Amino acid sequence: MLDAIIQWDWDVLLFFQEHIRAAWLDPIMQFFAILGHKGICVIAFCLVLLALKKTRRFGCYASLALLLSFIFNNLLLKNIVGRVRPYEVVDGLTRVGWAESDKSFPSGHVACAVAIAVALLLASKKKWPGIAMLIFSAFMAFSRVYLGVHYPTDVLVPFVTASAMAVLAWLIVSRIEKSLLAKNQMKVAAAQGDASPRGDTSVQGERAVQSENAAQVQKNADESQTQTQAQESVSETVPRTKE
C-alpha cells in the first residue's frame, strides 16, 4: 500500500513536469511560494485581524489555529516523518526555483493557509472570507507540486491535519468566550443586586422624611388652631366681666 502511494506521488510529479509546466507559469507559481515563505504573509494577515476591533475575534481564532497547525505539522510531523524533498530522490525530476532547507512532509505553506481558512469558516457568519482562503490554499497546494518541492501527499494531508487544528482552536476560543460571558453576566447581576437594596432604602427614607414633615405641619396647624380658639374665648369673657 505504501509503495503504491509513493509510486503515485512520483508519477504525479513527473506528469506535472512533462505536461503542465510552462515558462509563463513558472513566475506565478514562484509568487505563491514567496507568499507562503516562512509564514510571513499569514502571520501578517492574523496581526491585521487582531489589530482591527471589528475583526479581533476572528483574529483570535485564526491566530490560535495557525499556532496549533505550526506546532503539529511543522514541529512534530515534519521531524517525525523526516521525508526527503522529491527533487532529491525522484529520477528525472527537476525543481523550479530555490531549494528548501527543511523536510518535505507535510507542506507548511498549505497547512498555514488551510488552518486560517477553516478557522474563518467556523468563526464567521460570512463564509466568503473562509472560502476565498480555502481557494487560495488549493492554489498554494498546486504550486508546491508544480515547483517540484513537495509530493502530492505532502499537500493533501495538511487539508486534514490543519483543519483538525482549526477545529481545536475553535473549541478552545469558544469555551473561553462562553466563560468570559458567564463571568460578565454574573458581575452585572451582582451589581444590580447591590444597587437595588440601596435604591429601596433611599426611597423609603424619603417617604419617611415626607411623612414626618407632614405630621409636623399638621401638628403646627393644630397648635395654631388651639391658640386661636383660646384667644377667642378670652376675648368673649372680657366684655362679660365689665358688664
Side-chain angles (χ1 to χ4, degrees):
M1 181 66 178
L2 183 59
D3 290 339
I5 294 174
I6 293 174
Q7 185 61 50
W8 178 78
D9 274 338
W10 286 38
D11 292 340
V12 172
L13 282 166
L14 294 174
F15 177 84
F16 266 66
Q17 178 173 276
E18 295 173 9
H19 302 286
I20 297 178
R21 283 185 186 177
W24 65 273
L25 270 178
D26 290 353
I28 298 175
M29 297 298 108
Q30 287 178 303
F31 174 72
F32 276 96
I34 294 171
L35 288 179
H37 185 63
K38 302 297 183 183
I40 294 174
C41 286
V42 290
I43 292 174
F45 178 70
C46 289
L47 291 176
V48 170
L49 292 178
L50 290 171
L52 300 176
K53 187 176 181 180
K54 188 177 180 180
T55 59
R56 191 164 297 158
R57 176 173 173 269
F58 306 135
C60 292
Y61 281 98
S63 298
L64 183 58
L66 182 63
L67 176 62
L68 294 177
S69 177
F70 175 76
I71 293 173
F72 184 76
N73 290 295
N74 290 65
L75 298 184
L76 293 179
L77 283 185
K78 270 186 181 291
N79 292 298
I80 291 173
V81 177
R83 195 176 195 184
V84 180
R85 294 282 176 172
Y87 54 79
E88 297 179 1
V89 294
V90 178
D91 294 333
L93 180 67
T94 58
R95 71 174 187 273
V96 177
W98 60 86
E100 301 288 346
S101 58
D102 58 348
K103 298 301 180 181
S104 184
F105 179 90
S107 170
H109 287 64
V110 178
C112 290
V114 171
I116 294 178
V118 176
L120 292 177
L121 284 172
L122 292 172
S124 177
K125 292 182 180 179
K126 296 180 180 179
K127 300 305 179 184
W128 69 263
I131 293 173
M133 197 66 185
L134 207 56
I135 294 172
F136 173 80
S137 304
F139 277 107
M140 180 67 74
F142 181 89
S143 71
R144 303 310 283 164
V145 176
Y146 177 95
L147 295 173
V149 294
H150 277 293
Y151 300 93
T153 49
D154 292 348
V155 301
L156 291 176
V157 169
F159 278 89
V160 177
T161 57
S163 295
M165 294 301 102
V167 171
L168 179 60
W170 176 72
L171 292 173
I172 293 172
V173 177
S174 297
R175 185 68 177 270
I176 294 173
E177 279 186 329
K178 290 179 181 178
S179 177
L180 292 176
L181 181 61
K183 288 181 179 179
N184 289 335
Q185 290 176 342
M186 290 176 64
K187 288 181 179 179
V188 171
Q192 291 176 347
D194 293 340
S196 295
R198 288 198 294 269
D200 293 343
T201 303
S202 176
V203 172
Q204 291 174 0
E206 291 177 0
R207 290 177 179 175
V209 171
Q210 290 175 358
S211 298
E212 291 178 2
N213 292 338
Q216 186 64 37
V217 170
Q218 184 65 39
K219 181 179 179 181
N220 293 338
D222 293 341
E223 289 177 354
S224 176
Q225 186 177 3
T226 302
Q227 290 176 359
T228 302
Q229 290 175 352
Q231 290 175 357
E232 290 176 352
S233 298
V234 171
S235 61
E236 290 177 355
T237 305
V238 171
R240 291 176 183 176
T241 304
K242 290 180 178 181
E243 291 176 358

